[in-house]
Amino acid sequence: MGNGGRSGLQQGKGNVDGVAATPTAASASYQYRCIECNQEAKELYRDYNHGVLKITICKSCQKPVDKYIEYDPVIILINAILCKAQAYRHILFNTQINIHGKLCIFCLLCEAYLRWWQLQDSNQNTAPDDLIRYAKEWDFYRMFAIAALEQTAYFIGIFTFLWVERPMMAKKKPNFILLLKALLLSSYGKLLLIPAVIWEHDYTSVCLKLIKVFVLTSNFQAIRVTLNINRKLSFLAVLSGLLLESIMVYFFQSMEWDVGSDYAIFKSQDF
């Protein structure tokens, strides 16, 4: 497991299955977290001769700082799907993942496609072909913009609540940049929107609602793990985001700019 190191003891040179390289003794910064107790750690493992690695033991809970560095990525993904706090800490604190922006755009495209598909399925247009193609293309861009605005409102609601309640949280100043990345990563459940539409059946509306619940649950866990706060504050933060998002949805619907803005509320159609 891992690459062969230089002669003598090393503090985690190189990467192990995508795990962030552990710093040397010269850089005594605490940039990692124990996945069990959330205590800061200097290193995840030590690399001996011939690639022999020894996982660092947490000084606080006396458990391995990050057992997932030995796990297959599929196992880590399954644990993340199960919303285990340890898996979230591993992904958010102890790995180098820089797909937040790309994942956000792709999720918005999935949501925009679903709304666009609903809109086209409900519209009966007798205009010439060129006008139809232009209108359909514009509708997709409009759905994408609306989905982006609603997600922005959701995040603003969360950040506003956490900013107001920051004295009740940890003694350290909350890292809202890290929280934003965590929220973007934990929204990966939206990728399931496309399969739910492609494999359409009588229970499509139920599937979409379950996807919405899964995304909210993942966001809840991401907030709790990132800021190390209790479940009550995390739940209220998600609720605040949903409230502001609902206000935005109501605004768009009152302006007749959107069709069923919340993808959890699926229009009753004959499939």
Side-chain angles (χ1 to χ4, degrees):
M1 183 182 88
N3 299 326
R6 299 175 184 174
S7 60
L9 175 65
Q10 297 183 359
Q11 295 190 358
K13 292 284 189 178
N15 294 351
V16 179
D17 295 333
V19 177
T22 305
T24 60
S27 68
S29 60
Y30 291 83
Q31 63 180 55
Y32 303 107
R33 298 286 183 89
C34 173
I35 64 171
E36 301 293 341
C37 65
N38 203 45
Q39 189 70 24
E40 293 180 336
K42 293 182 181 180
E43 59 185 6
L44 302 178
Y45 60 91
R46 291 202 176 192
D47 190 352
Y48 294 84
N49 276 345
H50 310 297
V52 178
L53 302 180
K54 181 179 179 181
I55 298 178
T56 304
I57 300 299
C58 177
K59 296 179 180 179
S60 177
C61 64
Q62 300 302 314
K63 294 181 180 180
V65 171
D66 192 344
K67 63 182 180 181
Y68 285 114
I69 64 175
E70 293 186 307
Y71 284 32
D72 187 89
V74 176
I75 302 299
I76 299 173
L77 178 60
I78 292 174
N79 280 265
I81 292 174
L82 295 174
C83 291
K84 289 190 175 182
Q86 294 90 338
Y88 272 75
R89 290 191 185 104
H90 167 78
I91 294 171
L92 297 175
F93 298 122
N94 300 336
T95 58
Q96 293 177 335
I97 299 180
N98 298 310
I99 61 171
H100 315 87
K102 294 179 181 178
L103 182 61
C104 176
I105 296 298
F106 196 69
C107 288
L108 288 175
L109 287 173
C110 291
E111 192 169 348
Y113 172 77
L114 174 62
R115 300 179 183 199
W116 176 84
W117 176 75
Q118 290 178 293
L119 182 64
Q120 301 308 314
D121 196 57
S122 61
N123 282 349
Q124 298 293 332
N125 203 322
T126 58
D129 291 344
D130 291 341
L131 291 178
I132 292 176
R133 284 194 294 269
Y134 177 79
K136 287 183 176 181
E137 182 179 354
W138 171 249
D139 284 338
F140 180 81
Y141 296 147
R142 180 164 59 94
M143 294 299 107
F144 181 86
I146 290 173
L149 288 173
E150 289 177 7
Q151 179 169 284
T152 301
Y154 173 68
F155 288 162
I156 290 175
I158 291 176
F159 285 115
T160 301
F161 173 83
L162 293 173
W163 178 260
V164 173
E165 297 295 333
R166 69 187 185 280
M168 298 178 59
M169 296 188 294
K171 295 179 181 179
K172 294 174 59 179
K173 184 178 180 180
N175 189 341
F176 287 121
I177 300 298
L178 179 61
L179 177 59
L180 177 60
K181 293 180 179 180
L183 287 172
L184 293 176
L185 281 177
S186 61
S187 298
Y188 67 92
K190 292 182 179 181
L191 300 179
L192 297 173
L193 291 173
I194 299 302
V197 173
I198 294 176
W199 298 321
E200 57 187 43
H201 49 72
D202 294 337
Y203 302 103
T204 301
S205 60
V206 177
C207 291
L208 296 178
K209 292 176 182 178
L210 290 176
I211 291 172
K212 179 70 172 180
V213 172
F214 175 72
V215 171
L216 293 177
T217 304
S218 299
N219 292 159
F220 162 83
Q221 190 71 305
I223 295 171
R224 190 171 75 89
V225 168
T226 304
L227 301 181
N228 195 28
I229 58 178
N230 58 50
R231 290 181 173 85
K232 179 181 178 181
L233 286 177
S234 300
F235 176 77
L236 291 177
V238 172
L239 199 61
S240 299
L242 276 177
L243 178 61
L244 191 57
E245 182 185 21
S246 299
I247 294 174
M248 185 71 72
V249 169
Y250 177 78
F251 171 75
F252 287 138
Q253 289 179 342
S254 64
M255 298 294 292
E256 298 183 352
W257 289 352
D258 196 7
V259 49
S261 293
D262 189 352
Y263 60 79
I265 305 175
F266 194 77
K267 282 191 170 184
S268 57
Q269 300 176 357
D270 295 330
F271 295 102

PDB file of all heavy atoms in Angstrom, residues 216-232:
ATOM      1  N   LEU A 216     -30.916  16.724   0.971  1.00  0.00           N
ATOM      2  CA  LEU A 216     -31.031  17.513   2.197  1.00  0.00           C
ATOM      3  C   LEU A 216     -30.347  16.818   3.371  1.00  0.00           C
ATOM      4  O   LEU A 216     -29.685  17.470   4.197  1.00  0.00           O
ATOM      5  CB  LEU A 216     -32.509  17.756   2.529  1.00  0.00           C
ATOM      6  CG  LEU A 216     -33.285  18.646   1.550  1.00  0.00           C
ATOM      7  CD1 LEU A 216     -34.741  18.734   1.953  1.00  0.00           C
ATOM      8  CD2 LEU A 216     -32.661  20.034   1.475  1.00  0.00           C
ATOM      9  N   THR A 217     -30.483  15.506   3.451  1.00  0.00           N
ATOM     10  CA  THR A 217     -29.806  14.751   4.512  1.00  0.00           C
ATOM     11  C   THR A 217     -28.296  14.856   4.377  1.00  0.00           C
ATOM     12  O   THR A 217     -27.576  15.023   5.369  1.00  0.00           O
ATOM     13  CB  THR A 217     -30.237  13.272   4.470  1.00  0.00           C
ATOM     14  OG1 THR A 217     -31.661  13.178   4.570  1.00  0.00           O
ATOM     15  CG2 THR A 217     -29.607  12.497   5.616  1.00  0.00           C
ATOM     16  N   SER A 218     -27.794  14.768   3.148  1.00  0.00           N
ATOM     17  CA  SER A 218     -26.352  14.906   2.915  1.00  0.00           C
ATOM     18  C   SER A 218     -25.870  16.304   3.282  1.00  0.00           C
ATOM     19  O   SER A 218     -24.797  16.454   3.880  1.00  0.00           O
ATOM     20  CB  SER A 218     -26.033  14.599   1.447  1.00  0.00           C
ATOM     21  OG  SER A 218     -26.396  13.279   1.102  1.00  0.00           O
ATOM     22  N   ASN A 219     -26.635  17.323   2.928  1.00  0.00           N
ATOM     23  CA  ASN A 219     -26.286  18.695   3.309  1.00  0.00           C
ATOM     24  C   ASN A 219     -26.258  18.862   4.821  1.00  0.00           C
ATOM     25  O   ASN A 219     -25.363  19.519   5.379  1.00  0.00           O
ATOM     26  CB  ASN A 219     -27.276  19.682   2.702  1.00  0.00           C
ATOM     27  CG  ASN A 219     -27.183  19.785   1.198  1.00  0.00           C
ATOM     28  OD1 ASN A 219     -28.118  20.210   0.534  1.00  0.00           O
ATOM     29  ND2 ASN A 219     -26.057  19.385   0.619  1.00  0.00           N
ATOM     30  N   PHE A 220     -27.246  18.279   5.482  1.00  0.00           N
ATOM     31  CA  PHE A 220     -27.312  18.321   6.947  1.00  0.00           C
ATOM     32  C   PHE A 220     -26.047  17.717   7.561  1.00  0.00           C
ATOM     33  O   PHE A 220     -25.442  18.301   8.467  1.00  0.00           O
ATOM     34  CB  PHE A 220     -28.562  17.564   7.405  1.00  0.00           C
ATOM     35  CG  PHE A 220     -28.544  17.164   8.855  1.00  0.00           C
ATOM     36  CD1 PHE A 220     -28.925  18.069   9.835  1.00  0.00           C
ATOM     37  CD2 PHE A 220     -28.144  15.887   9.236  1.00  0.00           C
ATOM     38  CE1 PHE A 220     -28.910  17.701  11.177  1.00  0.00           C
ATOM     39  CE2 PHE A 220     -28.130  15.522  10.571  1.00  0.00           C
ATOM     40  CZ  PHE A 220     -28.506  16.425  11.539  1.00  0.00           C
ATOM     41  N   GLN A 221     -25.639  16.561   7.055  1.00  0.00           N
ATOM     42  CA  GLN A 221     -24.451  15.901   7.596  1.00  0.00           C
ATOM     43  C   GLN A 221     -23.188  16.695   7.275  1.00  0.00           C
ATOM     44  O   GLN A 221     -22.264  16.785   8.103  1.00  0.00           O
ATOM     45  CB  GLN A 221     -24.341  14.487   7.029  1.00  0.00           C
ATOM     46  CG  GLN A 221     -23.294  13.611   7.690  1.00  0.00           C
ATOM     47  CD  GLN A 221     -23.668  13.196   9.094  1.00  0.00           C
ATOM     48  OE1 GLN A 221     -23.953  14.032   9.949  1.00  0.00           O
ATOM     49  NE2 GLN A 221     -23.692  11.901   9.345  1.00  0.00           N
ATOM     50  N   ALA A 222     -23.134  17.298   6.089  1.00  0.00           N
ATOM     51  CA  ALA A 222     -21.969  18.101   5.715  1.00  0.00           C
ATOM     52  C   ALA A 222     -21.806  19.309   6.631  1.00  0.00           C
ATOM     53  O   ALA A 222     -20.690  19.649   7.053  1.00  0.00           O
ATOM     54  CB  ALA A 222     -22.091  18.550   4.262  1.00  0.00           C
ATOM     55  N   ILE A 223     -22.921  19.961   6.962  1.00  0.00           N
ATOM     56  CA  ILE A 223     -22.871  21.113   7.881  1.00  0.00           C
ATOM     57  C   ILE A 223     -22.407  20.678   9.263  1.00  0.00           C
ATOM     58  O   ILE A 223     -21.548  21.312   9.882  1.00  0.00           O
ATOM     59  CB  ILE A 223     -24.261  21.782   7.961  1.00  0.00           C
ATOM     60  CG1 ILE A 223     -24.646  22.377   6.611  1.00  0.00           C
ATOM     61  CG2 ILE A 223     -24.269  22.864   9.035  1.00  0.00           C
ATOM     62  CD1 ILE A 223     -26.085  22.860   6.547  1.00  0.00           C
ATOM     63  N   ARG A 224     -22.962  19.588   9.751  1.00  0.00           N
ATOM     64  CA  ARG A 224     -22.629  19.108  11.096  1.00  0.00           C
ATOM     65  C   ARG A 224     -21.156  18.724  11.200  1.00  0.00           C
ATOM     66  O   ARG A 224     -20.489  19.039  12.192  1.00  0.00           O
ATOM     67  CB  ARG A 224     -23.501  17.912  11.458  1.00  0.00           C
ATOM     68  CG  ARG A 224     -23.414  17.486  12.907  1.00  0.00           C
ATOM     69  CD  ARG A 224     -24.450  16.439  13.235  1.00  0.00           C
ATOM     70  NE  ARG A 224     -24.105  15.143  12.699  1.00  0.00           N
ATOM     71  CZ  ARG A 224     -23.371  14.230  13.359  1.00  0.00           C
ATOM     72  NH1 ARG A 224     -22.909  14.506  14.560  1.00  0.00           N
ATOM     73  NH2 ARG A 224     -23.119  13.064  12.819  1.00  0.00           N
ATOM     74  N   VAL A 225     -20.645  18.052  10.174  1.00  0.00           N
ATOM     75  CA  VAL A 225     -19.251  17.599  10.205  1.00  0.00           C
ATOM     76  C   VAL A 225     -18.281  18.756   9.997  1.00  0.00           C
ATOM     77  O   VAL A 225     -17.268  18.873  10.706  1.00  0.00           O
ATOM     78  CB  VAL A 225     -19.030  16.514   9.129  1.00  0.00           C
ATOM     79  CG1 VAL A 225     -17.546  16.245   8.926  1.00  0.00           C
ATOM     80  CG2 VAL A 225     -19.746  15.227   9.517  1.00  0.00           C
ATOM     81  N   THR A 226     -18.581  19.631   9.053  1.00  0.00           N
ATOM     82  CA  THR A 226     -17.657  20.723   8.729  1.00  0.00           C
ATOM     83  C   THR A 226     -17.492  21.694   9.884  1.00  0.00           C
ATOM     84  O   THR A 226     -16.372  22.107  10.212  1.00  0.00           O
ATOM     85  CB  THR A 226     -18.153  21.481   7.489  1.00  0.00           C
ATOM     86  OG1 THR A 226     -18.321  20.565   6.403  1.00  0.00           O
ATOM     87  CG2 THR A 226     -17.148  22.551   7.083  1.00  0.00           C
ATOM     88  N   LEU A 227     -18.595  22.082  10.519  1.00  0.00           N
ATOM     89  CA  LEU A 227     -18.550  23.072  11.590  1.00  0.00           C
ATOM     90  C   LEU A 227     -18.497  22.450  12.982  1.00  0.00           C
ATOM     91  O   LEU A 227     -18.382  23.172  13.973  1.00  0.00           O
ATOM     92  CB  LEU A 227     -19.761  24.003  11.487  1.00  0.00           C
ATOM     93  CG  LEU A 227     -19.899  24.779  10.172  1.00  0.00           C
ATOM     94  CD1 LEU A 227     -21.116  25.681  10.220  1.00  0.00           C
ATOM     95  CD2 LEU A 227     -18.647  25.593   9.885  1.00  0.00           C
ATOM     96  N   ASN A 228     -18.640  21.121  13.039  1.00  0.00           N
ATOM     97  CA  ASN A 228     -18.603  20.403  14.319  1.00  0.00           C
ATOM     98  C   ASN A 228     -19.646  20.956  15.290  1.00  0.00           C
ATOM     99  O   ASN A 228     -19.356  21.298  16.439  1.00  0.00           O
ATOM    100  CB  ASN A 228     -17.203  20.494  14.949  1.00  0.00           C
ATOM    101  CG  ASN A 228     -17.008  19.474  16.064  1.00  0.00           C
ATOM    102  OD1 ASN A 228     -17.626  18.410  16.057  1.00  0.00           O
ATOM    103  ND2 ASN A 228     -16.163  19.801  17.030  1.00  0.00           N
ATOM    104  N   ILE A 229     -20.866  21.045  14.797  1.00  0.00           N
ATOM    105  CA  ILE A 229     -21.961  21.563  15.618  1.00  0.00           C
ATOM    106  C   ILE A 229     -22.984  20.462  15.843  1.00  0.00           C
ATOM    107  O   ILE A 229     -22.924  19.398  15.209  1.00  0.00           O
ATOM    108  CB  ILE A 229     -22.636  22.785  14.957  1.00  0.00           C
ATOM    109  CG1 ILE A 229     -23.180  22.422  13.567  1.00  0.00           C
ATOM    110  CG2 ILE A 229     -21.654  23.948  14.855  1.00  0.00           C
ATOM    111  CD1 ILE A 229     -23.886  23.559  12.875  1.00  0.00           C
ATOM    112  N   ASN A 230     -23.947  20.715  16.719  1.00  0.00           N
ATOM    113  CA  ASN A 230     -24.925  19.684  17.046  1.00  0.00           C
ATOM    114  C   ASN A 230     -25.981  19.550  15.948  1.00  0.00           C
ATOM    115  O   ASN A 230     -26.087  20.376  15.038  1.00  0.00           O
ATOM    116  CB  ASN A 230     -25.586  19.981  18.398  1.00  0.00           C
ATOM    117  CG  ASN A 230     -26.264  21.345  18.423  1.00  0.00           C
ATOM    118  OD1 ASN A 230     -27.043  21.686  17.529  1.00  0.00           O
ATOM    119  ND2 ASN A 230     -25.979  22.138  19.445  1.00  0.00           N
ATOM    120  N   ARG A 231     -26.761  18.501  16.069  1.00  0.00           N
ATOM    121  CA  ARG A 231     -27.763  18.188  15.036  1.00  0.00           C
ATOM    122  C   ARG A 231     -28.852  19.243  14.958  1.00  0.00           C
ATOM    123  O   ARG A 231     -29.380  19.517  13.876  1.00  0.00           O
ATOM    124  CB  ARG A 231     -28.380  16.814  15.318  1.00  0.00           C
ATOM    125  CG  ARG A 231     -27.435  15.652  15.089  1.00  0.00           C
ATOM    126  CD  ARG A 231     -28.129  14.323  15.357  1.00  0.00           C
ATOM    127  NE  ARG A 231     -27.287  13.199  14.995  1.00  0.00           N
ATOM    128  CZ  ARG A 231     -26.375  12.663  15.788  1.00  0.00           C
ATOM    129  NH1 ARG A 231     -26.191  13.182  17.009  1.00  0.00           N
ATOM    130  NH2 ARG A 231     -25.664  11.630  15.391  1.00  0.00           N
ATOM    131  N   LYS A 232     -29.200  19.836  16.091  1.00  0.00           N
ATOM    132  CA  LYS A 232     -30.266  20.827  16.102  1.00  0.00           C
ATOM    133  C   LYS A 232     -29.913  22.035  15.238  1.00  0.00           C
ATOM    134  O   LYS A 232     -30.722  22.480  14.407  1.00  0.00           O
ATOM    135  CB  LYS A 232     -30.545  21.279  17.535  1.00  0.00           C
ATOM    136  CG  LYS A 232     -31.639  22.328  17.640  1.00  0.00           C
ATOM    137  CD  LYS A 232     -31.862  22.760  19.078  1.00  0.00           C
ATOM    138  CE  LYS A 232     -32.927  23.850  19.172  1.00  0.00           C
ATOM    139  NZ  LYS A 232     -33.131  24.298  20.574  1.00  0.00           N
TER     140      LYS A 232
END
